[in-house]
Amino acid sequence: MPAADPTPVDFWFDPVCPWAWMTSRWLLEVAEHRALDIRWHVMSLAVLNEGRDDLPERYRRLLTEGWGPVRVVTAAAHKYGDDVTGPLYTALGNRIHRQGLGPSREAIAGALEEAGLAPNLIDYADQDTYDRELRASHREGIDRVGQEVGTPVIALPGPDGTATAFFGPVITPAPHGKAALDLWDGLLLLASSPGFHELKRSRTQGPVFD
């Protein structure tokens, strides 16, 4: 029998978000065992929180610094195609989150080198050249789920074959093996349930990068 077509999955992320990073690692774990066609897209916590004056100073600083990585990812995709987005995100996330470099120039430069991309792409970290494309990608993800969410956003096949999007899943640490596949199967089941919208509890643990 012919192999089944890969399941299309769209994933929106901001490189500086630790929760999106862990969810993306879970999704890649699933892809090692299930046929998935993952399409990576940028979104921006800075854009999401524009106009808010009630943010803690530490978080406000992260949003400001976060423009650099997401702008570089957007520029790289524009110049080299969408296929570079996933590898560049992995290279960035390892440095920002696992190595603790944060959204620094060092992290961006090292990620570009690892991904085999032109080092001068780092210049776009401080430029708004592709902000229109960045905002369009962000808007596409947010329009799927509404404003009362954050990153990540994931879209997968729903009950009638059209994409159903969720904020999350928010997990820590990223599950592996059978636990990763069980979570995937559960998410597919929720997506196949017409009218399902929300399932949530308070976070009691911070990000764990294993």
Side-chain angles (χ1 to χ4, degrees), residues 11-26 40-49 59 61-71 73 89-90 92-98 101-104 138 142 149-154 167-172 174 203 206-209:
F11 189 88
W12 282 264
F13 66 93
D14 185 322
V16 301
C17 177
W19 303 103
W21 170 251
M22 284 181 290
T23 305
S24 71
R25 299 311 95 181
W26 157 73
W40 304 97
H41 311 275
V42 294
M43 61 184 298
S44 169
L45 289 173
V47 173
L48 186 68
N49 288 281
Y59 189 62
R61 186 167 59 252
L62 175 66
L63 298 183
T64 299
E65 295 171 348
W67 277 107
V70 75
R71 279 174 165 167
V73 173
Y89 178 33
T90 290
L92 276 168
N94 279 326
R95 288 165 173 78
I96 292 172
H97 304 297
R98 296 180 67 89
L101 296 178
S104 62
H138 174 93
I142 290 297
V149 299
T151 172
V153 170
I154 188 171
F167 161 54
V170 176
I171 46 179
T172 185
R203 300 178 193 175
V208 176
F209 308 116

Side-chain angles (χ1 to χ4, degrees), residues 9 26-27 30 34 36 156 180-188:
V9 185
W26 157 73
L27 190 58
V30 174
R34 304 286 172 83
L36 303 184
L156 59 163
L181 298 179
D182 286 346
L183 178 58
W184 170 253
D185 291 338
L187 191 60
L188 282 178

Side-chain angles (χ1 to χ4, degrees), residues 50-123:
E50 280 180 331
R52 292 188 58 183
D53 56 9
D54 58 341
L55 300 174
E57 180 56 33
R58 181 179 179 183
Y59 189 62
R60 189 184 301 277
R61 186 167 59 252
L62 175 66
L63 298 183
T64 299
E65 295 171 348
W67 277 107
V70 75
R71 279 174 165 167
V72 170
V73 173
T74 305
H78 180 82
K79 290 180 172 294
Y80 295 99
D82 292 336
D83 288 346
V84 306
T85 304
L88 181 55
Y89 178 33
T90 290
L92 276 168
N94 279 326
R95 288 165 173 78
I96 292 172
H97 304 297
R98 296 180 67 89
Q99 296 178 23
L101 296 178
S104 62
R105 303 281 289 192
E106 179 185 356
I108 297 172
L112 289 171
E113 180 179 5
E114 180 181 327
L117 298 171
N120 62 1
L121 282 170
I122 198 171
D123 295 341

